[in-house]
Amino acid sequence: MLNSSVERAPAVSVRGLRVVRGGRPVLHGLDLDVPAGSVTGLLGPSGCGKTTLLRSVVGVQRTSGGTVTVLGEAAGSAGLRARVGYVTQAPSVYADLTVDENLRYFADILGAPRTDPARVTGLVGLGDRVGQSVGSLSGSRSRRPCSARRNC
């Protein structure tokens, strides 16, 4: 007789996740499991941590503590890159990264050499105009405080 109560490992498992952004705690020791094969929605007001959680799940968010496991692997691990997709509200660039950091991020994803920003901008559809201006903006670290930015 087959046992119909065989448990499957959760698709996403979060234990004690803590994230601090701009000196302020955003996630305070979050625990959750997303069952394999389920459809799960995140609901809540702006600023409650939904995007921060999703960024943690795909491995692009710096965490202050806890663990995030996706499909049995640590969030952000190389083995997950071909298995997990993520699209933000504005997928063109990440506002909390500098121009240089955005280019390096997309270069890594696209397998383009980091020394060729024009190739990266062409591959993501930004064209030569952005590639020509990247030199003057590259490495700029000026950022507004989290309270002055949207979606921080």
Side-chain angles (χ1 to χ4, degrees), residues 12-93:
V12 177
S13 181
V14 177
R15 295 290 171 263
L17 180 61
R18 292 187 319 272
V19 174
V20 176
R21 294 189 69 178
R24 295 180 48 201
V26 177
L27 298 177
H28 310 265
L30 180 67
D31 292 318
L32 71 92
D33 285 326
V34 176
S38 70
V39 175
T40 303
L42 293 175
L43 302 174
S46 179
C48 74
K50 298 179 303 289
T51 299
T52 300
L53 173 59
L54 287 176
R55 288 173 51 97
S56 298
V57 167
V58 296
V60 298
Q61 175 65 55
R62 279 197 185 133
T63 62
S64 302
T67 60
V68 180
T69 305
V70 179
L71 303 174
E73 298 185 42
S77 66
L80 292 173
R81 292 183 189 140
R83 301 173 66 197
V84 175
Y86 169 68
V87 177
T88 64
Q89 287 178 332
S92 55
V93 294

